């Protein structure tokens, strides 16, 4: 575990919050799929903007505005560099949810009766509800590719659903409830072979592994800064330039225009055509610092660290009596489980007493939980700063949960 140890020594000291106690115990933060913690470098980049060069961007001809504009645009470049996108292909939104809504409103509303949208049964509500609602408005239809009892996609079923009627395929790269990794490259090839667009919800992949837009071969990728060491309130929609150029804006107003008369409006160039109003300037700057931080460590190192932790956790949890782990063998750093008949919320409350932060419930995937016959699960999810010792504490605390509810 040389990589793990070197990563740990490099990173833990950068996260002030990891030094705090919760209920008298050192915090073990295992809720990273919900949101990540922030390193000092990100917090300081945001403070530096407010302390030294806070101004609105693009429209002011003064020093502060020029500095703020340069830093905001640098963040676009950093996000593009992260996934190998081209200039103009990175749109800043509020989060993954807004990125997917942008697509639903812009492309989704062009659908017609008879058109079809193909999703998987394991989507987060953010990649389900917008398409479902758009389908109702346009009288198009949503079809769901099945997943098996481990949460893995049935590719044969998926392929059978994608036809000439399919206009959009949208799927998570990594599913948030069970950590399954979808073969999105292959799915994009199938979508394209029938003339459909491929949308990837990468909220749980871009923060944890190297992702290349060109290698995935998809048309759109959505992700959130707050799940990858950056601040809340800023996210990305990557779009293939040729597709973004065809699309209509989702929000109208200032900054997204080139020329306005009382009768007509000419829209701005990419990406600003999709960034109406004053954007989250400090958020973009903090996000840029988070990308720098992750790139310095290397997302391949982050991924192998999390894989090592996940293997260790699966082995450790298998030793615990009455713990039932869900999800596939090949998975990302997300482990969903239940302990006997204990309600996931009760289990999480006892873990909290031990200073261990996990998530419990339906994980914004209610239809999937219903299909699996589950009221919910406890979910532990890892990031670069987590340790084997924290997993040991989780396993020991589960012993306590079992005893309390025996
Ligand atoms: N998609 C997936 C797979 C997620 O895990 C999440 C958040 O947990 C989202 C979408 C929504 O992300 P956000 O709340 O940042 O918009």
């Amino acid at each position: 575990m040389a990589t793990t140890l070197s990563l740990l020594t490099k990173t833990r000291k950068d996260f002030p919050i990891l030094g705090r106690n919760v209920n008298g115990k050192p915090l073990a933060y295992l809720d990273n799929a919900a949101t990540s913690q922030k390193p000092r470098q990100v917090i300081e980049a945001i403070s530096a903007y407010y302390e030294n060069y806070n101004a609105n961007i693009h429209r002011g001809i003064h020093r502060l505005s020029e500095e703020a504009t340069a830093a905001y645009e640098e963040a676009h470049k950093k996000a593009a560099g992260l996934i190998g996108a081209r200039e103009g292909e990175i749109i800043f939104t509020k989060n993954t949810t807004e990125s997917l809504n942008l697509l639903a409103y812009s492309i989704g509303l062009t659908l017609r009766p008879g058109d079809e949208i193909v999703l998987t049964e394991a989507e987060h509500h953010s990649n389900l509800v917008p398409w479902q609602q758009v389908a109702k408005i346009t009288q198009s239809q949503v079809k769901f590719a099945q997943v098996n009892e481990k949460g893995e996609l049935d590719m044969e079923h998926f392929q059978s659903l994608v036809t000439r009627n399919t206009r959009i395929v949208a799927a998570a790269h990594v599913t948030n409830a069970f950590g399954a990794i979808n073969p999105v490259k292959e799915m994009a090839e199938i979508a394209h072979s029938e003339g459909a667009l491929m949308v990837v919800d990468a909220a749980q992949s871009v923060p944890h592994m190297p992702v290349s837009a060109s290698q995935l071969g998809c048309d759109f990728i959505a992700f959130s800064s707050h799940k990858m060491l950056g601040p809340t309130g800023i996210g990305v929609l990557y779009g293939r330039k040729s597709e973004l150029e065809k699309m209509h804006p989702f929000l109208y107003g200032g900054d997204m225009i080139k020329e306005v008369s009382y009768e007509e409006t000419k829209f701005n160039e990419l990406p600003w055509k999709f960034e109406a109003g004053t954007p989250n300037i400090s958020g973009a700057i903090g996000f840029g610092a988070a990308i720098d931080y992750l790139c310095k460590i290397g997302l391949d190192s982050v991924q192998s660290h999390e894989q090592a932790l996940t293997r260790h956790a699966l082995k450790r949890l298998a030793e615990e009596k009455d713990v039932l782990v869900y999800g596939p063998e090949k998975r990302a750093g997300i482990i969903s489980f239940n302990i006997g008949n204990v309600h996931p919320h009760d289990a999480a409350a006892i873990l909290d007493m031990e200073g261990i932060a996990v998530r419990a419930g339906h994980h914004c995937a209610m239809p999937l939980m219903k299909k699996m016959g589950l009221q919910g699960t406890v979910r532990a999810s890892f990031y670069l700063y987590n340790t084997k010792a924290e997993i040991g504490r989780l396993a020991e605390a589960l012993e306590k949960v079992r005893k309390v509810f025996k």
Side-chain angles (χ1 to χ4, degrees):
M1 289 275 281
T3 331
T4 303
L5 289 175
S6 60
L7 258 177
L8 293 183
T9 46
K10 266 195 253 166
T11 65
R12 273 190 86 81
K13 64 176 187 336
D14 292 332
F15 294 80
I17 206 167
L18 297 180
R20 74 164 280 185
N21 282 353
V22 169
N23 293 319
K25 311 272 168 57
L27 168 67
Y29 187 78
L30 303 178
D31 193 16
N32 294 286
T35 200
S36 68
Q37 296 303 344
K38 323 300 173 200
R40 207 181 296 278
Q41 289 83 338
V42 167
I43 300 165
E44 284 171 0
I46 296 168
S47 295
Y49 161 70
Y50 283 121
E51 285 177 10
N52 302 316
Y53 58 103
N54 171 51
N56 211 332
I57 56 167
H58 293 154
R59 36 202 121 138
I61 307 177
H62 61 79
R63 175 67 67 87
L64 263 51
S65 178
E66 279 169 11
E67 289 177 10
T69 303
Y72 180 77
E73 291 311 337
E74 192 57 29
H76 271 128
K77 283 195 193 129
K78 288 176 185 177
L82 179 74
I83 59 164
R86 289 182 297 163
E87 218 175 298
E89 291 184 323
I90 297 290
I91 296 156
F92 281 147
T93 60
K94 215 162 56 184
N95 46 36
T96 304
T97 306
E98 190 179 271
S99 298
L100 295 166
N101 271 274
L102 190 163
L103 291 175
Y105 278 91
S106 185
I107 303 177
L109 289 181
T110 68
L111 300 192
R112 286 192 239 131
D115 286 343
E116 292 173 0
I117 303 165
V118 175
L119 309 177
T120 83
E121 287 180 330
E123 297 312 309
H124 187 283
H125 296 159
S126 294
N127 196 31
L128 192 165
V129 182
W131 302 117
Q132 183 191 61
Q133 295 306 308
V134 148
K136 283 187 201 297
I137 297 167
T138 59
Q139 294 178 305
S140 54
Q141 204 191 340
V142 180
K143 294 195 163 173
F144 292 94
Q146 286 165 5
V147 299
N148 66 17
E149 68 295 342
K150 290 181 176 176
E152 292 163 313
L153 181 64
D154 176 341
M155 273 303 271
E156 239 170 74
H157 187 242
F158 168 73
Q159 186 146 17
S160 73
L161 294 186
V162 182
T163 67
R164 277 279 136 195
N165 295 332
T166 312
R167 291 273 316 276
I168 296 162
V169 172
H173 193 181
V174 169
T175 69
N176 67 303
F178 294 116
I181 304 165
N182 280 328
V184 282
K185 184 173 189 286
E186 230 179 303
M187 294 168 82
E189 281 163 11
I190 294 169
H192 290 155
S193 71
E194 296 293 351
L197 291 168
M198 179 74 201
V199 178
V200 175
D201 171 355
Q204 299 294 350
S205 64
V206 166
H208 302 280
M209 60 180 75
V211 171
S212 149
S214 60
Q215 272 172 29
L216 287 192
C218 52
D219 302 290
F220 301 99
I221 304 177
F223 54 101
S224 297
S225 144
H226 70 94
K227 292 187 197 286
M228 48 190 296
L229 311 182
T232 50
I234 183 127
V236 167
L237 175 67
Y238 153 83
R240 199 189 286 280
K241 205 168 192 165
S242 51
E243 293 304 328
L244 290 176
E245 273 162 358
K246 284 187 253 169
M247 281 162 56
H248 222 66
F250 152 59
L251 296 169
Y252 301 102
D255 236 30
M256 53 77 67
I257 55 90
K258 196 180 261 172
E259 214 179 296
V260 182
S261 70
Y262 284 124
E263 293 78 28
E264 284 302 329
T265 295
K266 276 198 189 130
F267 304 133
N268 206 340
E269 307 285 324
L270 291 173
W272 308 291
K273 171 173 123 180
F274 293 101
E275 293 184 1
T278 301
N280 184 350
I281 304 164
S282 65
I285 290 167
F287 184 28
I291 295 171
D292 285 345
Y293 189 93
L294 282 171
C295 289
K296 205 165 157 202
I297 290 166
L299 276 146
D300 41 2
S301 303
V302 171
Q303 186 179 24
S304 50
H305 173 70
E306 289 176 23
Q307 279 172 349
L309 283 178
T310 306
R311 278 195 300 273
H312 179 71
L314 288 172
K315 201 160 147 256
R316 194 65 187 76
L317 290 184
E319 291 162 10
E320 291 303 317
K321 220 171 137 196
D322 289 339
V323 172
L324 180 59
V325 173
Y326 308 101
E329 310 306 317
K330 188 171 165 273
R331 67 164 85 211
I334 292 175
I335 301 185
S336 248
F337 59 91
N338 271 314
I339 171 153
N341 290 326
V342 181
H343 193 286
H345 287 169
D346 293 334
I350 295 179
L351 294 179
D352 181 56
M353 294 307 295
E354 299 297 316
I356 301 168
V358 292
R359 187 133 297 235
H362 54 65
H363 313 299
C364 291
M366 279 169 117
L368 178 66
M369 290 292 145
K370 197 166 170 209
K371 174 191 159 93
M372 300 283 186
L374 297 169
Q375 56 184 341
T377 70
V378 181
R379 184 184 70 185
S381 51
F382 311 125
Y383 214 179
L384 68 171
Y385 37 67
N386 289 125
T387 66
K388 274 186 168 183
E390 288 173 322
I391 289 164
R393 282 181 55 203
L394 171 69
E396 279 161 27
L398 288 176
E399 194 68 28
K400 284 196 183 154
V401 174
R402 201 169 58 80
K403 282 186 184 141
V404 170
F405 287 93
K406 201 159 65 172

